[in-house]
Amino acid sequence: MDWISNLPNILLCQILSNLSTKDSVRTSALSKRWTHLWMDVPALELDSSNFPDDIEFWGFFYNYLEFSQGLGIKRFDLVYNVDEHIQEDFVERVDDVVKRGVCHLSILNELDVEEELVRMPLSLYSCRTLVSLNLYCVVFDAPGPALVSLPRLKTMHLEAVKYDGKWLLGAFISRCKVLEELTIVTDHGDGLEVVLVGSKSLKVFKLKSMRSEETEDECDPTILIDAPKLEFMSIFDYHSKRFIIDNIGPFAKVDIDLTFKVEDVDSFGAMFIGFLTKLSTVREMIISARTLEVIHDYYEWELLPQFANMSHLHASFPETSWKVLLTFLGCCPNLQSLDLEFDSFPEPEEIKLSFVPQCFQSSLQFVGLRTPIRVEGTLSEMKLPILFLRNCKVMKKLMLNESFKNVIKKIRGIPKMSPQFQTVALSNI
């Protein structure tokens, strides 16, 4: 420990900044040199539940800020769960942190939001040093547009946040000029109706719904996306009336688990074809069974766009959905890699080709099949891999999960259509 104590304060503080504030405080017992050193650390991590009561928590928070006046706070992490929320005290302390040039700020509010509204200080909306922001179960007030300026914010995670205005979030996003990664988790009563994700810098967008089964009839907010540099988009468990993509980056990767509440078939059809058309430039896609069902229902009365850029597809199926798969594969003429996950085996009589997709003829090289593991084999265990082996002309590898282990030797002995074929292998896919 002696050689560490001989290091300059700036290096010691850098070391302590990698510890939690609780552990950092403990170092004060090491020697006189360390007694007050933790107060010079430009990082503060607090969990109110680690204190005996509210008085101890607020006293520590206040004393830290008092004794460290003039010290910049680069990182502030707060888990907030007090017995009695005092809004004035909360705003005053967080405002002090924000004005000290905070770069990374995370506030997780664990109070009952139906009883206590934890609001952010107005200074947060114009913090010129903020680089990453993570908020859970707090309230966003509606400051005037001139007050919002976050010129360095690159990463923002907003979960179960309440917004004082249905357009507030969209306006907030538009004022973050270098934002690269955005996560939004919607919740019942968040006050949102429409979210405009308009950003010329955004590269990653993740969207998730936390609405419970009791509120399943309530739709998630309408989403409008205009993000020409977007490289990755994830939509999970989202149910909306409208989802409009105006612009995303070419060759993006998307993970889609999205359903719609259809009130007018004609207007929904126009919106949905626009949604699919804008997605048709993506390079990789993961798509849920529920979204595939929507696509299949729509296909019954309108042709789908071609996904000519798509090289990799991972698709899930809740039950027998073979026709849905063929419908979509027919729109992916240049597909190179295909991963299929079935919740149940398709019936043997359904495993057939009503037509041969173009990708089977010219591009599909890698196929992965994951099906339920059963003690006894079924005829589908043979027919499913055989269909690909006998129809894919350039396939190199077929990967199967453990459910095929009883028939793997028979599958390996099947004549292959592709002269380039290398192996059939068991995998943990």
Side-chain angles (χ1 to χ4, degrees):
M1 181 59 70
D2 289 340
W3 69 270
I4 295 180
S5 296
N6 291 328
L7 294 174
N9 281 7
I10 189 171
L11 289 180
L12 293 178
C13 289
Q14 184 63 43
I15 293 172
L16 292 180
S17 67
N18 294 316
L19 303 177
S20 68
T21 299
K22 183 177 181 180
D23 290 334
S24 182
V25 171
R26 287 173 176 170
T27 64
S28 62
L30 294 176
S31 68
K32 290 183 178 180
R33 170 82 190 280
W34 293 79
T35 301
H36 300 293
L37 194 60
W38 66 272
M39 289 190 175
D40 294 330
V41 176
L44 178 60
E45 180 181 307
L46 294 177
D47 184 340
S48 61
S49 62
N50 289 337
F51 294 83
D53 51 44
D54 290 1
I55 295 175
E56 290 285 339
F57 167 69
W58 288 116
F60 180 88
F61 201 171
Y62 174 81
N63 288 333
Y64 176 88
L65 295 175
E66 279 293 305
F67 284 108
S68 62
Q69 288 189 18
L71 174 69
I73 299 178
K74 301 302 180 185
R75 178 173 59 84
F76 178 60
D77 297 325
L78 173 63
V79 179
Y80 188 66
N81 189 9
V82 294
D83 293 327
E84 182 180 359
H85 171 61
I86 304 174
Q87 180 63 27
E88 293 78 8
D89 289 348
F90 178 86
V91 168
E92 182 180 348
R93 304 293 185 274
V94 177
D95 179 69
D96 192 341
V97 171
V98 170
K99 290 179 178 178
R100 294 194 187 195
V102 68
C103 296
H104 308 281
L105 187 144
S106 175
I107 298 178
L108 278 64
N109 171 40
E110 296 183 346
L111 298 179
D112 187 342
V113 293
E114 297 300 327
E115 297 181 3
E116 299 285 357
L117 297 179
V118 178
R119 299 179 180 274
M120 295 295 98
L122 291 178
S123 59
L124 177 63
Y125 306 115
S126 57
C127 181
R128 303 188 64 81
T129 57
L130 196 63
V131 175
S132 67
L133 177 64
N134 180 22
L135 298 177
Y136 174 75
C137 272
V138 299
V139 179
F140 257 29
D141 288 310
L147 293 179
V148 180
S149 177
L150 297 164
R152 296 184 182 179
L153 187 65
K154 291 187 175 182
T155 304
M156 182 160 60
H157 182 112
L158 304 175
E159 182 171 346
V161 172
K162 292 181 179 294
Y163 303 91
D164 186 15
K166 61 183 181 180
W167 293 93
L168 175 59
L169 180 54
F172 191 81
I173 294 171
S174 69
R175 304 288 292 183
C176 303
K177 299 302 183 181
V178 297
L179 187 65
E180 295 182 355
E181 183 170 343
L182 172 64
T183 301
I184 300 173
V185 183
T186 65
D187 197 7
H188 172 67
D190 56 22
L192 291 175
E193 293 185 15
V194 178
V195 178
L196 173 59
V197 182
S199 172
K200 295 181 179 180
S201 59
L202 193 65
K203 296 179 180 179
V204 176
F205 176 52
K206 300 176 183 178
L207 177 67
K208 179 181 177 181
S209 174
M210 285 180 57
R211 279 170 168 74
S212 63
E213 294 182 0
E214 289 77 12
T215 59
E216 61 181 1
D217 291 335
E218 178 187 353
C219 286
D220 285 296
T222 291
I223 303 293
L224 295 88
I225 298 177
D226 182 10
K229 292 186 178 180
L230 197 66
E231 299 174 356
F232 176 77
M233 178 172 66
S234 172
I235 306 166
F236 181 73
D237 199 16
Y238 205 79
H239 181 66
S240 180
K241 293 180 181 179
R242 301 179 71 203
F243 200 111
I244 299 172
I245 299 176
D246 183 58
N247 202 359
I248 61 173
F251 307 106
K253 178 179 179 179
V254 296
D255 187 344
I256 308 294
D257 179 20
L258 173 67
T259 58
F260 293 93
K261 182 176 182 179
V262 180
E263 296 180 339
D264 180 83
V265 174
D266 292 334
S267 61
F268 169 75
M271 183 277 299
F272 191 56
I273 192 62
F275 172 77
L276 292 178
T277 300
K278 291 297 183 179
L279 284 181
S280 65
T281 64
V282 302
R283 174 175 49 89
E284 297 183 34
M285 178 181 290
I286 300 173
I287 189 167
S288 73
R290 298 186 303 173
T291 306
L292 271 176
E293 290 291 351
V294 176
I295 291 176
H296 179 258
D297 293 342
Y298 180 73
Y299 175 75
E300 295 296 323
W301 46 278
E302 188 70 51
L303 292 177
L304 298 176
Q306 292 289 296
F307 292 77
N309 293 337
M310 192 184 302
S311 61
H312 178 79
L313 173 66
H314 181 118
S316 301
F317 300 88
E319 52 190 25
T320 300
S321 305
W322 188 251
K323 187 178 179 182
V324 180
L325 171 64
L326 289 181
T327 297
F328 200 68
L329 288 180
C331 302
C332 307
N334 300 308
L335 194 67
Q336 298 177 19
S337 177
L338 175 64
D339 290 318
L340 300 178
E341 185 174 348
F342 296 87
D343 283 353
S344 60
F345 275 106
E347 294 299 323
E349 60 272 16
E350 292 186 350
I351 304 177
K352 58 185 179 180
L353 295 178
S354 55
F355 69 96
V356 179
Q358 176 60 40
C359 60
F360 279 38
Q361 303 285 335
S362 59
S363 62
L364 190 58
Q365 300 179 34
F366 304 97
V367 176
L369 300 177
R370 182 189 301 168
T371 56
I373 298 176
R374 297 183 177 182
V375 176
E376 298 182 359
T378 67
L379 182 58
S380 297
E381 286 181 356
M382 287 293 295
K383 290 196 67 174
L384 194 57
I386 286 174
L387 180 139
F388 288 97
L389 291 171
R390 289 183 174 174
N391 290 280
C392 295
K393 293 184 177 181
V394 297
M395 188 162 69
K396 295 180 179 180
K397 184 179 291 187
L398 175 63
M399 304 297 293
L400 308 172
N401 75 334
E402 287 294 318
S403 65
F404 294 92
K405 65 181 180 180
N406 296 324
V407 295
I408 188 68
K409 290 184 179 179
K410 293 181 179 179
I411 294 173
R412 285 172 175 159
I414 295 170
K416 285 78 175 175
M417 169 70 75
S418 171
Q420 308 171 46
F421 193 83
Q422 299 171 1
T423 185
V424 176
L426 288 175
S427 171
N428 292 323
I429 58 172

